[in-house]
């Protein structure tokens, strides 16, 4: 599953432009960071990759900053046939033979495009369907989208890649009969010396950081409750990097617990690396995770980590060796781990060093790219 291959086997890929990536591009999170890594990594192997998006937002801007000009497709469903046909025309003109899809919309439109032009589809599953807040109608739509996603994946006879073994097990029934492989995420090395200490980090504070969209599944409320439980540590502060639908209720929770002065909502930050690099510890109290890029970035930057023992976090990390792991949903256990790191600088250093070494050897961008090249080769064959 994780075997490497020879340069000769990869040669057909290096001599043709044969890969496109398709995603929605509405938000910017782990999936989008994964795509940027793919674009850069494949270019490093001489593969000029085409990028289809439905939104001209942050992912499109980030792609342009790295020298990739995305093709922005109409995102309204009333144009789905003309959009799919246009996509097929572009693929045919560029003689692209593989489309790598991320998300239901990319999968459905890629399947429709195959009515006009024949190509193979590879799909990456990044996580589980998250519990949705909001109106019942919206929840119904989200489950419908997941159904269409699975149906289109099966109809396309796609190869399915999972970022964790847990996801492969979870989707085994849905994708029964399809070729599948687990390919963990990976990142390039990060120059920590080039990063600046955020102005929000006071020197006399013990700065904890949580990075990600403000969704229930990410466990921000547990982090706030843990800060309240450890209120005897006067210089303890939580820096929340990200935005999302739960922001208002999280602020209300902090006020209710009388710790608003310790909880800092910083919104979306393009320079999230700065916050991770200079924090005393990164918190990941998620109720579920695939293999989040924030985790890999924290490992690469040498930040001590406290994480829930779920999903990819549990697969990658070892308790008391590369991180402190806690049961999901347990704010008291999180508070205890915070107290432990607060009082033990040597433990923080040891966890960070071990995690950094693990990232460099097992979760590098090059290792991820090599595994995808192997999967692409199977499709070409």
């Amino acid at each position: 599953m994780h075997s490497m291959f020879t340069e000769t086997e990869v040669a057909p890929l290096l001599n043709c432009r044969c890969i496109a990536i398709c995603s929605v591009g509405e938000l910017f999170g782990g999936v989008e960071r994964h795509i940027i890594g793919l674009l850069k990594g494949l270019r490093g192997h001489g593969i000029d990759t085409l990028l289809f998006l439905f939104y001209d937002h942050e992912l499109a801007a980030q792609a342009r900053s790295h020298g990739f000009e995305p093709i922005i497709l109409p995102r309204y469903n009333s144009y789905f046939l003309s959009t799919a046909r246009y996509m097929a025309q572009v693929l045919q003109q560029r003689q692209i033979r593989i489309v790598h899809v991320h998300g239901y919309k990319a999968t459905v439109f890629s399947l429709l495009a195959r009515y006009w032009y024949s190509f193979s589809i590879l799909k990456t599953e990044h996580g589980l369907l998250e519990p949705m807040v909001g109106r019942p109608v919206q929840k119904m739509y989200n489950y419908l989208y997941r159904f269409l996603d699975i149906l289109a994946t099966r109809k396309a006879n796609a190869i399915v890649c999972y970022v964790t073994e847990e996801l492969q097990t979870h989707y085994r029934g849905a994708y029964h009969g399809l070729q599948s492989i687990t390919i963990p995420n990976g990142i390039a090395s990060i120059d920590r010396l080039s990063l600046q200490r955020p102005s929000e980090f006071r020197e006399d504070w013990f700065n904890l950081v949580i990075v990600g969209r403000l969704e229930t599944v990410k466990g921000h409320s547990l982090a706030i409750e843990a800060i309240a439980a450890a209120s005897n540590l006067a210089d303890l502060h939580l820096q929340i990097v990200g935005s999302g639908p739960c922001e208002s209720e999280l602020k209300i929770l902090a006020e209710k617990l009388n710790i608003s002065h310790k909880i800092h909502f910083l919104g979306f930050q393009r320079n999230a690396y700065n916050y991770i690099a200079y924090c005393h510890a990164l918190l990941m109290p998620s109720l579920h995770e695939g293999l989040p890029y924030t985790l890999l970035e924290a490992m690469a930057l040498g930040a001590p980590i406290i994480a829930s023992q779920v999903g990819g976090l549990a697969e990658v990390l070892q308790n008391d060796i590369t991180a402190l792991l806690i049961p999901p949903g347990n704010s008291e256990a999180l508070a205890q781990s915070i107290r432990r790191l607060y009082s033990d600088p040597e433990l923080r250093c040891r966890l960070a060093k071990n995690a950094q070494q693990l990232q460099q050897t097992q979760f590098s961008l090059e290792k991820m790219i090599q595994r995808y090249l192997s999967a692409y080769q199977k499709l070409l064959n």
Side-chain angles (χ1 to χ4, degrees):
M1 179 170 56
H2 295 163
S3 61
M4 307 297 280
F5 47 90
T6 67
E7 185 176 341
T8 303
E9 290 173 306
V10 180
L13 285 169
L14 301 181
N15 294 328
C16 65
R17 171 184 281 185
C18 58
I19 297 173
I21 294 174
C22 185
S23 187
V24 176
E26 181 180 8
L27 307 173
F28 194 84
V31 175
E32 291 71 31
R33 304 217 285 282
H34 175 93
I35 289 171
I36 292 295
L38 273 175
L39 291 169
K40 294 165 64 178
L42 292 174
R43 181 170 60 188
H45 282 267
I47 300 173
D48 189 8
T49 309
L50 190 65
L51 177 62
F52 289 104
L53 298 174
F54 292 90
Y55 285 84
D56 195 351
H57 288 178
E58 182 65 21
L59 176 54
Q62 293 263 357
R64 292 187 185 103
S65 72
H66 292 289
F68 301 95
E69 183 58 44
I71 294 175
I72 308 299
L73 300 169
R75 62 179 183 266
Y76 299 107
N77 292 336
S78 57
Y79 302 114
F80 70 93
L81 285 179
S82 59
T83 297
R85 187 167 187 173
Y86 170 69
M87 185 178 176
Q89 290 172 347
V90 174
L91 293 171
Q92 187 171 22
Q93 289 169 0
R94 307 287 184 93
Q95 296 185 327
I96 289 174
R97 297 166 59 190
I98 295 173
V99 177
H100 187 166
V101 299
H102 305 262
Y104 94 90
K105 200 163 193 174
T107 309
V108 170
F109 275 86
S110 296
L111 174 65
L112 291 172
R114 296 208 324 170
Y115 283 97
W116 290 279
Y117 173 64
S118 179
F119 56 89
S120 298
I121 294 177
L122 181 141
K123 176 185 180 178
T124 295
E125 281 286 2
H126 293 273
L128 300 177
L129 181 64
E130 295 179 0
M132 293 293 168
V133 296
R135 297 174 299 174
V137 173
Q138 185 58 48
K139 294 181 182 179
M140 181 188 70
Y141 274 119
N142 282 290
Y143 283 108
L144 175 61
Y145 296 152
R146 171 53 79 184
F147 171 77
L148 292 175
D149 190 11
I150 294 173
L151 186 65
T153 302
R154 296 190 63 86
K155 184 72 174 175
N157 196 32
I159 285 183
V160 184
C161 297
Y162 305 92
V163 299
T164 68
E165 297 285 354
E166 182 205 37
L167 287 174
Q168 184 163 21
T169 300
H170 178 85
Y171 286 111
R172 182 173 293 150
Y175 296 133
H176 177 72
L178 299 182
Q179 294 186 69
S180 64
I181 187 173
T182 298
I183 302 180
N185 293 331
I187 62 171
S189 59
I190 305 172
D191 182 11
R192 191 185 187 283
L193 297 178
S194 67
L195 304 176
Q196 296 182 347
R197 181 184 178 88
S199 59
E200 298 91 345
F201 284 17
R202 280 179 40 176
E203 294 281 355
D204 57 339
W205 286 356
F206 189 87
N207 292 289
L208 301 174
V209 168
I210 181 169
V211 179
R213 272 187 60 77
L214 275 55
E215 304 273 6
T216 303
V217 73
K218 295 298 183 181
H220 292 83
S221 61
L222 295 167
I224 293 174
E225 291 170 0
I227 298 299
S231 59
N232 61 307
L233 306 178
D235 57 344
L236 189 65
H237 287 257
L238 176 63
Q239 312 282 351
I240 299 179
V241 178
S243 59
C246 293
E247 183 169 347
S248 296
E249 64 184 71
L250 292 173
K251 289 180 177 179
I252 292 172
L253 176 62
E255 291 176 3
K256 180 181 177 181
L257 297 174
N258 296 317
I259 56 168
S260 294
H261 61 291
K262 288 175 167 282
I263 311 298
H264 309 276
F265 292 86
L266 307 181
F268 173 77
Q269 299 286 338
R270 284 188 173 180
N271 60 336
Y273 286 175
N274 293 21
Y275 296 88
I276 298 172
Y278 285 93
C279 71
H280 288 94
L282 178 85
L283 305 185
M284 300 195 74
S286 306
L287 303 180
H288 179 267
E289 283 287 0
L291 182 47
Y293 273 78
T294 298
L295 168 66
L296 301 181
E297 290 157 358
M299 294 168 72
L301 288 167
I305 299 164
I306 304 175
S308 298
Q309 199 162 9
V310 296
L313 301 176
E315 288 187 23
V316 170
L317 301 170
Q318 287 182 279
N319 186 43
D320 225 26
I321 297 176
T322 50
L324 296 184
L325 297 180
I326 60 170
N330 192 326
S331 60
E332 180 54 39
L334 179 56
Q336 290 175 3
S337 293
I338 290 172
R339 293 189 194 98
R340 188 177 171 199
L341 284 188
Y342 179 92
S343 61
D344 195 341
E346 290 185 5
L347 174 61
R348 298 200 300 267
C349 183
R350 175 171 61 83
L351 294 177
K353 184 178 180 180
N354 290 342
Q356 188 174 54
Q357 184 178 21
L358 177 64
Q359 182 277 316
Q360 292 170 350
T361 57
Q362 297 298 321
F363 302 99
S364 67
L365 176 62
E366 179 57 24
K367 198 153 193 174
M368 182 186 84
I369 294 299
Q370 290 282 1
R371 290 163 175 169
Y372 274 110
L373 286 173
S374 180
Y376 296 151
Q377 188 66 52
K378 288 181 180 180
L379 283 175
L380 288 180
N381 291 340

